[in-house]
Structures are given as C-alpha cells and as structure tokens.
Amino acid sequence: MRQVAAAGMGQERGGNVFGGDEKIGVLATRRRHRRLMAVSIALVVVLAGAVAAVALVRPWTDEFRHGKLIVAAAPALVESAPRVLPARSNAPAPSPAGIAAALAPVIGNPDLGAFAGQVSDPNSASVLWSAAADTPLVPSSTAKVLTAAAALLTLPVDHRVTTAVVTGAAANELVLVGGGDPTITAEPDGKGYYSNGPRLSDLVAQIRSTARPVDTIVVDTSAYAGPTMASGWDPIDIGDGSIAPIEPVMIDGGRSRPLVRYSSRTTTPALDAGKRLAAELGLDPARVRPGVAPDGAVEIASVRSAPLRERLHDMMVYSDNVLAEAIGREVAVANGGEASFRGGVAAIHAALSAAGFDMSGVDMHDSSGLSVDDRIPARLLDQVVATAAKPNGVTAVQPAGTNAKPEHDRTAATLAPMLDTLPVAGATGSLTDRFVGSDREGAGWVRAKTGTLSVSSALVGYVLDADGRVLTFALMSNDRPPEVSRPALDAIAGTLRNCGCS
C-alpha cells in the first residue's frame, strides 16, 4: 500500500508512472479506501454523540467521581488583617540570674576572641548581664548606632540636603555646588541605589529651561573640609566597594555600577558627578574642572535629598559608610561645626553627651565605624538602644489614684524611630543571610545593627524573648576573623530569643 500510494503521488505530480489497467486498478483501490474511511468516521461521530447523550442524561454520581468520598462544602472566606502588635506590658521580667544561666554555654566560646557585651531590660531600665562592658573595643559599623542617635537628637526627621547649580564667574560657566548629598542618581528611570534619591535629570531639565548658553561645568566641593579619607581607612576599600573619598556631591555614592551594593567606587566622586552632568547636557566632559562658586552667584537649578528618616534607614539597613559620613557632617553643620571627619565625630559626641549618655571610653575617627582606630564600649551602644526601646518613653510611673499623666522621656521618644532602621534577622539588609542556617530561632525576632571588619564583629540591637519581654543587647568581638566570630555572636542573640529567664 505504501508503494501504491507513493506511486500515485508521483503520478499526480506529473510523472506518468503507470499505464492502462494499472492506473485503473489504483483508482479503484482509492475509492474503496475512501468509502471505508467515510463509514469509520460516521461510526465515530455516532458513538461520540451517544456518549454525549449518556453524559447529559445520566451524569456520573459523586460516589463514582470521588471514590465514594463525601465532598465537603467550601469553607467560609476569612479576611486576614495582619498587624504589628506591641510587646506585652505585663510580660514576666527576666532576672539577672536567669540571663546569666542561659548565656553561660555560649559566652565562653573561644571563637568570640576578645569579647564584651551587655544585655538590658528597657522596661525596667536595668542591666541584666554584662561582661567587660566598659572596655572600649573596635565597634566596626555598630558605630552607626551613635551616628543615627545623634542625627535624631539634632535634626528633624524630615531634614533634607540641597544640591544646587549656580552661575559661574564667566557667562558660559555653571557651578555644581555640593551640599553634602551622595544619593543623587543618574539612572534613566530615576531609581538609583538609595531610596528616593534626587535625580540628575531634574537638574538637567531645570538648566535647559533657562536656555542659558554654557560650555563649562565647575565643581565646588568647599562645603566639606579636611581630608577625604579618615584615619584607619584602607584605600583598598575604594576598589572593594566599601567606601569612596568623602566629597559633598556624588552619583549613587560614587559607585561604578550604581545599583550594586559593593560595587567598586571612583576616587574622584565629585568631579565625576560634574562630568556626568556635562554629558547629560551634551557638553564635553573635558570642560569640567574643580573650583568655587563666585560671590553673588545666582541659583538656576537645585534638587533635594530624601528626608533624614529615609536616609537613616538606608544607612542602617545596608550599613552604608558613605551615607554615614555625610550624615555625620550634616549633624556637625547643624551644630555650627566643621563638615569634616573631626567635626562629625565632635558633633556626635556632643549630642549624645547633652542627652545624658556616658561617653567615657569613646574614641572615634569617623562616623561610619570603618576605621580600625575607633573604640566604643559595649555599655554605651546597649544604653542607646535600651533608651530607644523604653515603652512609650515612660521613665516615671505616677502614684496610683492620681490623675497626673506619666512623665515622658523626650530622649527615648526621639530615639524610638531608630529601632525601625535595624535589619531583621534572616530577612533584610546586612542580616539577610544570617540566622538562616544555624540559630534559626532568632530569624524574624532579632533586629540588630551589624558590624564587620577583618579585626572586629559586633551585633547591637534588641529581641523579644520567649516570655514576650523586649531585651536589648550589645555584643562585640575583636581579634577573630568575622567568619569565625559572627556565628558565635548570632548564637548569643539566638539564646536571648529562646530565653524564658523570668
């Protein structure tokens, strides 16, 4: 049959393969096949119709379709209403003895190296446990806890920083004046590394709207004073993506890849910002140079940073060193000081001292904690977080039966927003990949600022214990590599979460 069909196909395409009777025989065979196929198709159609009729007339029973199982009715719809509830005010108070017993198995771990720590109960404003808490150690990025606290104590949470473009000394010049904002972005969609950072495109649009002829961009960095790198910083960290030279105007913190956290950074962030502005204006980047805005310069364009509350969040969650140094200088300027490493440190010290914190033992050389020369005692770090965690800021309970309102601690109320800037264990920021393998009991419960250098690891924050009580802690390890000391610190925080230490 295959040969006959093939031959027939060949003949139909013009090849005279068969002749006479052979051709007639092939045609007769084809007619029989067509009749058989027609009958078969008709039978299939009839059978399909019969099946459909049965299905319509006698549907399958529930017992057949579900194997004699009874089908339950659909459950009633439930509307979820997720919400964050405060810690219970009547949760059992932990005891120092209970905390000490719980921590005993983990605080002796040799992986902690030179170790110091403190645990407090902010509800009762009492220290529950401490070890070498007055000994100043390298804090690494937990120093940002002090920077954030000083900023909240000094500045309104909606404070913004302005970057301006003004007229230059010559008619064809514009001056980009840095005001202390490293968060400007040049990304086409306006979404850079930092949350709601100002857009370079807005500066460009404002400049173009003036129709002013320009061929030169001058970059003014005079808002900042002193060196651009702090004592105890390693220049290798620029290429490794931890820092950029601190200048008062940058594009996405000086990152070469704007959306990558640890992207390599430029060594000339302000000048690069000026070159990018020139390029967006269609100017020759070679016509960009450093300089100072002339007296009487007229502002023709400006953009403002995100509010302080958002910048503090980015600084803490992602442990951003450039942003920390900018905020340190912002605090210094607000206090009438110099916008420099020294000025920022002095302003932080003054703000915390004025709020009643004991600053003895503190020796800081930057606002970010990147310097290996920094020293802070665990006592101070814990005290700052414990103050922020005081319930409702209440420091004195009025006698029963009186109508007097509770006395509120203004410092506690002012610092409380800092608690929301701390990374969540196993979920956000610098704690995303921690508490996910071992010590998983702390995941979602521990919120803490991390600190990591080659010579230091630290963890400062708070946790809700098994009884529902808030505990604050400052844990610091020196002289051990972070891959060794960080798991040991996490084990302590996880133990505090499991602790029913009343």
Side-chain angles (χ1 to χ4, degrees), residues 261-272:
R261 181 179 176 187
Y262 287 112
S263 165
S264 60
R265 313 289 181 105
T266 173
T267 57
T268 56
L271 200 60
D272 285 358

Side-chain angles (χ1 to χ4, degrees), residues 24 66 85 90 109 159 162 244 262 270 275 316 318 366 368 400 417 420 433 439 450 461 468 484:
I24 294 172
H66 298 284
L85 299 175
N90 61 346
N109 189 338
H159 189 260
T162 300
Y262 287 112
K275 290 180 178 179
M316 296 287 273
Y318 302 110
D366 59 13
S368 61
D420 290 333
D433 58 354
D439 305 303
T450 58
V484 170

Side-chain angles (χ1 to χ4, degrees), residues 104 166 216 229 276 287 317 337 362 378 405 438 446-447:
V166 302
T216 301
M229 297 285 284
R276 185 60 184 268
R287 299 282 296 177
V317 168
V362 175
K405 294 182 179 180
S438 57
V446 172
R447 294 196 70 167

Side-chain angles (χ1 to χ4, degrees), residues 84-403:
V84 177
L85 299 175
R88 292 189 296 119
S89 60
N90 61 346
S95 69
I99 293 289
L103 294 182
V106 289
I107 59 174
N109 189 338
D111 290 344
L112 291 169
F115 173 67
Q118 181 167 296
V119 177
S120 294
D121 174 15
N123 204 339
S124 63
S126 60
V127 174
L128 299 173
W129 173 88
S130 66
D134 287 318
T135 303
L137 293 180
V138 179
S140 49
S141 280
T142 59
K144 293 181 178 71
V145 169
L146 304 190
T147 301
L152 290 170
L153 290 166
T154 304
L155 299 161
V157 293
D158 59 353
H159 189 260
R160 299 172 186 260
V161 178
T162 300
T163 301
V165 175
V166 302
T167 55
N172 64 332
E173 288 182 353
L174 291 179
V175 183
L176 175 63
V177 182
D181 186 4
T183 71
I184 301 170
T185 186
E187 289 300 283
D189 62 357
K191 297 178 181 179
Y193 181 82
Y194 300 98
S195 302
N196 298 315
R199 300 177 297 184
L200 189 70
S201 60
D202 288 342
L203 283 178
V204 172
Q206 293 173 54
I207 293 169
R208 284 178 172 163
S209 69
T210 67
R212 183 186 183 88
V214 57
D215 62 12
T216 301
I217 300 293
V218 176
V219 181
D220 185 345
T221 61
S222 60
Y224 283 0
T228 60
M229 297 285 284
S231 167
W233 284 14
D234 190 335
I236 197 174
D237 286 331
I238 298 174
D240 288 347
S242 292
I243 201 66
I246 304 304
E247 297 178 334
V249 58
M250 301 188 195
I251 303 293
D252 287 306
R255 291 171 171 82
S256 58
R257 291 182 292 167
L259 304 182
V260 178
R261 181 179 176 187
Y262 287 112
S263 165
S264 60
R265 313 289 181 105
T266 173
T267 57
T268 56
L271 200 60
D272 285 358
K275 290 180 178 179
R276 185 60 184 268
L277 176 62
E280 295 294 320
L281 289 168
L283 307 179
D284 182 359
R287 299 282 296 177
V288 177
R289 61 178 175 82
V292 179
D295 292 338
V298 177
E299 181 180 301
I300 63 171
S302 66
V303 290
R304 296 202 303 163
S305 70
L308 176 65
R309 67 171 72 87
E310 294 184 35
R311 291 180 286 125
L312 285 176
H313 179 271
D314 283 358
M315 178 190 80
M316 296 287 273
V317 168
Y318 302 110
S319 200
D320 194 275
N321 296 313
V322 166
L323 197 48
E325 297 304 333
I327 291 173
R329 285 159 173 75
E330 198 174 333
V331 174
V333 171
N335 280 337
E338 181 183 73
S340 63
F341 287 109
R342 181 176 297 178
V345 167
I348 291 169
H349 197 288
L352 293 173
S353 293
F357 292 103
D358 179 3
M359 300 298 289
S360 59
V362 175
D363 182 17
M364 293 176 63
H365 298 264
D366 59 13
S367 301
S368 61
L370 184 63
S371 175
V372 295
D373 296 334
D374 289 344
R375 298 291 185 274
I376 300 175
R379 163 191 47 77
L380 174 61
L381 293 168
D382 177 57
Q383 185 183 9
V384 169
V385 178
T387 300
K390 285 181 180 178
N392 299 318
V394 176
T395 55
V397 178
Q398 302 301 317
T402 67
N403 293 322

